[in-house]
Amino acid sequence: MDPSFFDITSSIGGKRWRMRLVDDRGALAIAQRLNLPEVLGRVLSARGVAVEDAESFLNPKIRDLLPDPLHLLDMDKAIARIISAIEGGEKIGVFADYDVDGACSASILTRFLSEIGREVTVYVPDRVIEGYGPNSAALMKLKDEGVTLVLTVDCGTTAFEPLGAAAKNGLDVIVIDHHVAEPLLPDAVAIVNPNRFDETSAVGQLCAAGVVFLLVVALNRELRERFWYEEGHNEPDLMAWVDLVALATVADVVKLTGVNRALVKNGLSVMAKRENHGIAALANIVDLNQKPEAWHLGFLLGPRVNAGGRVGEPGLGVRLLTTTDPGEAATLAAQLEKYNSERREIEAAVLASAMAQAERQAVADSPLIVVAAEGWHPGVIGIVAARIKDTFNRPTCVISLEKGLGKGSGRSVRGVELGPAIIAAQQADYLINGGGHAMAAGFTLLEERINGFTEFLADHISGQLGGRVLVPELGVDGALSVEGANLDLIEILDKAGPYGAGNPRPRFVLTSVKVLSPKSVGVDHVSCFLGAPESSARIRAISFRSLGKPIGEALMNGRGASLHVAGYLNVNDWQGEKKPQFVIEDVARLL
């Protein structure tokens, strides 16, 4: 095990602080080769960036990193069938998942097909009534409406029975997905998924919207080669929709590495132009009046797009992101904001109940936490699972029960791939259905199978760990003085963004700082100033959702005390005046 940073093995937040950088020579080589500040070289090296890849990492270009779409299995079959439908004037249906990735995927397809003059019908299932993925009744409804080809987006890879029923009834289905697959695939015209069991693609980190973007790139190229656009049809500007890919990529918490970095970085630039009326309306709702960053997508925009599928109307997100009417966009954004407020209230109640169960389980030596209860709203169980996972650093599954049937959502931690474990549980007949990717999964099971499922999952995860113990860790990029925590440093660090999964935001430790003027702000946040140990320098700081918890209590009761404080820098833009701010994530006492 690597040495602990500053010998912090158990902080006030219960974490071991770990130095992210393991190769000082690599960091120095990057800084010297590209003439960069040493701190930026250290950040890049700590994220596994090699010297020869550093330039591309800092300046990712879609044209350099986007692979040929036809390298994916079944992409050629999908293109051939869709082109046939386009040329034949068939009515095309899009069956989308109810989350941000599904909404963005459906919006990209709808915009593409509409711009080339073809009719498309979008269907988004009700999370509570229909559950995740295609169902036979919905597919047959689309067929009855005249749809002859259905594209499922962000779902469908494990939908054996519904897709089998569609095939028997003469309805063609193409699956466009990114979730982990089983060796056996359902009956479909094509299954385009970089995470198919038999796939060798190197872009498995793509979200569904990323795969859909590859699809429309291939479709556009094929239509151009068939002289479609020389026959009076408009050629879409595909790059205008990269903002949708960026939103889905960040919200789905897939890795911001490789082509994903290029898609998100360019997507943020497109988003800043506010040409998508739906995204612009959401930005207005949340008072986002600066150039968007990745965290805005993940914490401000994404949850609101998600809100319709969680507690409201499942199709609202697609409608918002697809509309070309600014007035309609404003109305839809306001409705989603209302649903998001309802979601927060429901989430708080479910979290309190689920956390009580989780705390009892956390004292055991099981490698995971599984909680279940009647009446928990299935629209918030994924968020609740994430909160519990963050609290106890264990893979967590939260199950909502109703009349003997459980709908579950799981979130995982670094080092444990949950999606494959859920698929294994389904293959072992503990689940009715289930799927996901490394860090998140969903499933359905009978209430009577919960104990067996929990034991199976614990064994599977223990096998993955191979005897390793899940110790809560906080990765740190280095120590920082209060004087050095300035706007210039923030600007330097921004060069390695966008930050997110797979490319974590740089985290530093302000050492031996004094806590000054602590106070509670908002509902449960703690604000204070952190003073330098040997000068009058100080920086404004905030600790989110910590009031009444160990970190918040240490700050509130630590007036004048010296602490090591871990967190990250951002810009506090108040009334046009920009100042650095330190966001506190953990605190440790001086040894």
Side-chain angles (χ1 to χ4, degrees):
M1 180 180 289
D2 298 330
S4 300
F5 186 81
F6 269 42
D7 292 325
I8 304 299
T9 58
S10 182
S11 68
I12 290 175
K15 294 182 174 62
R16 171 182 175 264
W17 291 3
R18 172 184 54 82
M19 188 68 183
R20 283 172 171 160
L21 182 66
V22 295
D23 182 10
D24 287 316
R25 292 174 299 177
L28 184 60
I30 291 173
Q32 292 177 341
R33 173 82 66 89
L34 300 182
N35 193 28
L36 300 173
E38 184 179 348
V39 65
L40 188 56
R42 293 178 66 84
V43 167
L44 295 175
S45 183
R47 281 142 189 79
V49 179
V51 176
E52 58 272 19
D53 298 327
E55 175 64 32
S56 174
F57 187 92
L58 291 174
N59 300 288
K61 295 179 174 59
I62 292 177
R63 68 171 181 267
D64 296 335
L65 295 170
L66 194 73
D68 185 334
L70 292 179
H71 87 284
L72 289 169
L73 294 175
D74 278 6
M75 181 66 87
D76 55 344
K77 297 178 184 177
I79 298 304
R81 179 63 186 91
I82 298 171
I83 291 292
S84 175
I86 291 171
E87 293 182 332
E90 297 179 50
K91 188 174 182 180
I92 299 173
V94 174
F95 188 104
D97 188 24
Y98 35 63
D99 68 358
V100 179
D101 196 9
C104 291
S105 298
S107 180
I108 293 169
L109 279 174
T110 301
R111 286 174 175 271
F112 179 83
L113 292 168
S114 297
E115 286 207 21
I116 64 171
R118 287 298 176 261
E119 184 179 6
V120 58
T121 298
V122 177
Y123 188 98
V124 182
D126 186 287
R127 181 191 294 261
V128 177
I129 298 172
E130 298 172 87
Y132 169 77
N135 62 82
S136 299
L139 293 176
M140 291 305 99
K141 182 177 185 293
L142 288 170
K143 184 176 186 298
D144 291 342
E145 293 174 357
V147 170
T148 55
L149 173 64
V150 173
L151 311 180
T152 73
V153 292
D154 199 27
C155 58
T157 298
T158 58
F160 292 92
E161 187 276 327
L163 268 58
K168 288 179 181 178
N169 285 277
L171 179 62
D172 287 346
V173 177
I174 292 172
V175 174
I176 310 164
D177 199 3
H178 73 123
H179 292 100
V180 177
E182 302 179 37
L184 181 66
L185 294 172
D187 190 359
V189 172
I191 297 179
V192 182
N193 183 339
N195 292 305
R196 276 174 52 160
F197 194 80
D198 55 349
E199 181 62 83
T200 59
S201 172
V203 293
Q205 79 271 32
L206 286 173
C207 66
V211 183
V212 167
F213 188 74
L214 283 179
L215 178 85
V216 297
V217 167
L219 283 171
N220 198 55
R221 183 172 62 191
E222 182 66 21
L223 288 170
R224 192 183 299 130
E225 291 176 356
R226 290 171 179 253
F227 305 106
W228 177 268
Y229 300 121
E230 296 180 13
E231 298 173 0
H233 300 103
N234 293 324
E235 180 170 357
D237 177 11
L238 305 187
M239 290 303 297
W241 306 331
V242 182
D243 54 354
L244 293 168
V245 183
L247 176 57
T249 299
V250 174
D252 219 49
V253 202
V254 294
K255 290 185 177 181
L256 298 189
T257 57
V259 67
N260 278 353
R261 275 185 53 74
L263 290 168
V264 172
K265 189 160 189 174
N266 286 272
L268 288 170
S269 296
V270 171
M271 191 177 293
K273 300 175 183 177
R274 297 201 172 202
E275 294 177 348
N276 184 299
H277 295 302
I279 294 177
L282 277 185
N284 290 335
I285 286 282
V286 300
D287 294 325
L288 177 55
N289 50 20
Q290 64 187 83
K291 183 178 179 181
E293 300 178 29
W295 74 269
H296 293 127
L297 278 58
F299 293 99
L300 297 181
L301 304 184
R304 287 162 173 81
V305 175
N306 249 339
R310 290 193 183 280
V311 300
E313 303 168 53
L316 279 186
V318 179
R319 288 174 56 197
L320 175 78
L321 299 175
T322 308
T323 184
T324 57
D325 181 347
E328 182 185 25
T331 299
L332 292 171
Q335 185 63 48
L336 285 168
E337 174 68 5
K338 176 177 176 291
Y339 284 137
N340 192 52
S341 296
E342 293 178 14
R343 185 271 304 170
R344 283 197 293 260
E345 293 176 5
I346 295 169
E347 175 195 331
V350 175
L351 178 60
S353 177
M355 189 64 77
Q357 288 189 38
E359 287 171 348
R360 292 193 292 270
Q361 293 186 32
V363 298
D365 58 1
S366 174
L368 83 158
I369 290 173
V370 178
V371 295
E374 194 88 19
W376 287 348
H377 196 298
V380 302
I381 56 176
I383 305 173
V384 171
R387 298 268 191 264
I388 296 174
K389 177 266 297 183
D390 290 341
T391 300
F392 299 108
N393 193 56
R394 297 189 201 180
T396 298
C397 292
V398 178
I399 303 171
S400 170
L401 298 172
E402 183 177 1
K403 297 178 181 179
L405 188 68
K407 295 179 180 178
S409 187
R411 296 294 184 269
S412 195
V413 298
R414 181 173 174 261
V416 176
E417 295 193 354
L418 187 59
I422 291 296
I423 288 177
Q426 181 182 359
Q427 292 172 338
D429 292 330
Y430 288 103
L431 303 176
I432 297 172
N433 57 52
H437 47 79
M439 302 307 290
F443 55 90
T444 306
L445 80 172
L446 296 173
E447 182 176 1
E448 63 197 41
R449 301 290 279 167
I450 290 178
N451 289 340
F453 163 73
T454 302
E455 292 175 4
F456 177 89
L457 209 59
D459 289 342
H460 195 285
I461 291 174
S462 294
Q464 286 191 42
L465 292 172
R468 291 183 292 115
V469 178
L470 287 172
V471 177
E473 289 187 335
L474 195 75
V476 173
D477 287 290
L480 185 65
S481 68
V482 173
E483 294 86 349
N486 52 43
L487 294 176
D488 290 340
L489 177 60
I490 294 174
E491 184 177 353
I492 290 170
L493 295 174
D494 282 348
K495 297 180 185 299
Y499 294 109
N503 183 34
R505 184 190 294 268
R507 182 182 292 120
F508 297 98
V509 175
L510 298 179
T511 59
S512 305
V513 291
K514 295 185 182 300
V515 179
L516 307 172
S517 305
K519 63 180 180 179
S520 63
V521 294
V523 177
D524 54 2
H525 314 315
V526 175
S527 172
C528 65
F529 286 91
L530 299 175
E534 297 178 356
S535 75
S536 61
R538 64 180 191 170
I539 185 172
R540 181 181 295 277
I542 188 165
S543 176
F544 293 113
R545 293 178 175 170
S546 66
L547 190 65
K549 298 177 182 178
I551 293 173
E553 290 302 296
L555 296 171
M556 292 294 290
N557 298 326
R559 189 185 305 270
S562 293
L563 298 169
H564 297 317
V565 180
Y568 61 89
L569 285 166
N570 67 9
V571 177
N572 184 351
D573 190 349
W574 175 249
Q575 296 182 338
E577 185 179 8
K578 295 183 177 181
K579 291 185 177 181
Q581 176 177 259
F582 196 79
V583 179
I584 300 171
E585 296 179 289
D586 202 1
V587 174
R589 295 185 176 86
L590 276 60
L591 299 178

